[in-house]
Amino acid sequence: MYGKFIFLGCFFISWSMSAQSVVNLGSTEIKSILSAHNKERSLVGSPNLIWNSVLADHAQEWAVKLAEDDNGLVHRPSGDDSYGENIAFFSGHTFDAAYPVELWNEEKSDYRYSPISYSNFSSIGHYTQVIWKNTTQVGCGCAKSERGAYFFVCNYDPAGNFIGQYPYK
């Protein structure tokens, strides 16, 4: 059953048959998310990202959808989005807004400075989107499923991870 969505500030609140809930990302969480991104970006000479509330709304909408479905990680369908996207899923862990970004940054250990390719993308794509030099803005959203799993989504503008390109130089 589809729920009703009400726009409240920059967050969507959903009523549906599931007990899924929006996780409110306030100023403290936003600072934590930006810090986790920008710390890693500074190590490779990429400029700091800024928060974009339109991207956050977009990410929140997808996080709610994932939490309602509660069926694992699924990116938006191809052609449905012009933004870069990182998604994470975790449970059994107290919510910490920087945690998903730290998980993505762990892919750094698999990255050997080289262009993005079809063969390396699946093991480094989250990390390289975090550090993509031409990306300037990020917005994230989070929702918790009925069974307590967190679905965390960040959208990036402009998108990164273009095959044949380096994430930074």
Side-chain angles (χ1 to χ4, degrees), residues 30-31 33-35 37-38 41 46-56 130 132-140 154-158:
I30 291 169
K31 286 178 187 173
I33 291 164
L34 285 172
S35 178
H37 277 87
N38 291 333
R41 291 173 65 82
S46 293
N48 283 347
L49 294 176
I50 59 170
W51 189 260
N52 180 308
S53 61
V54 172
L55 292 175
V130 167
W132 199 265
K133 187 170 190 157
N134 293 333
T135 298
T136 59
Q137 300 176 68
V138 65
C140 305
C154 287
N155 286 136
Y156 302 85
D157 192 37

Side-chain angles (χ1 to χ4, degrees), residues 58 62 65-66 74-83 85:
H58 194 65
W62 194 244
K65 168 82 169 109
L66 292 174
V74 179
H75 285 280
R76 288 179 193 266
S78 292
D80 192 28
D81 206 348
S82 61
Y83 303 126
E85 181 176 82

Side-chain angles (χ1 to χ4, degrees), residues 41-163:
R41 291 173 65 82
S42 71
L43 296 174
V44 298
S46 293
N48 283 347
L49 294 176
I50 59 170
W51 189 260
N52 180 308
S53 61
V54 172
L55 292 175
D57 291 344
H58 194 65
Q60 185 65 55
E61 178 185 3
W62 194 244
V64 167
K65 168 82 169 109
L66 292 174
E68 286 176 345
D69 293 349
D70 202 5
N71 195 22
L73 297 179
V74 179
H75 285 280
R76 288 179 193 266
S78 292
D80 192 28
D81 206 348
S82 61
Y83 303 126
E85 181 176 82
N86 275 346
I87 57 178
F89 161 90
F90 56 97
S91 60
H93 186 280
T94 303
F95 181 75
D96 172 357
Y99 179 67
V101 183
E102 291 165 0
L103 289 176
W104 300 328
N105 289 339
E106 287 177 5
E107 293 177 357
K108 178 181 181 175
S109 64
D110 294 326
Y111 181 61
R112 306 294 175 259
Y113 187 71
S114 63
I116 302 299
S117 68
Y118 292 108
S119 64
N120 69 9
F121 179 75
S122 65
S123 63
I124 62 167
H126 297 103
Y127 168 70
T128 53
Q129 177 58 83
V130 167
I131 63 166
W132 199 265
K133 187 170 190 157
N134 293 333
T135 298
T136 59
Q137 300 176 68
V138 65
C140 305
C142 186
K144 190 174 182 180
S145 73
E146 182 177 322
R147 65 184 170 101
Y150 291 98
F151 291 84
F152 190 85
V153 178
C154 287
N155 286 136
Y156 302 85
D157 192 37
N161 285 332
F162 294 100
I163 301 299

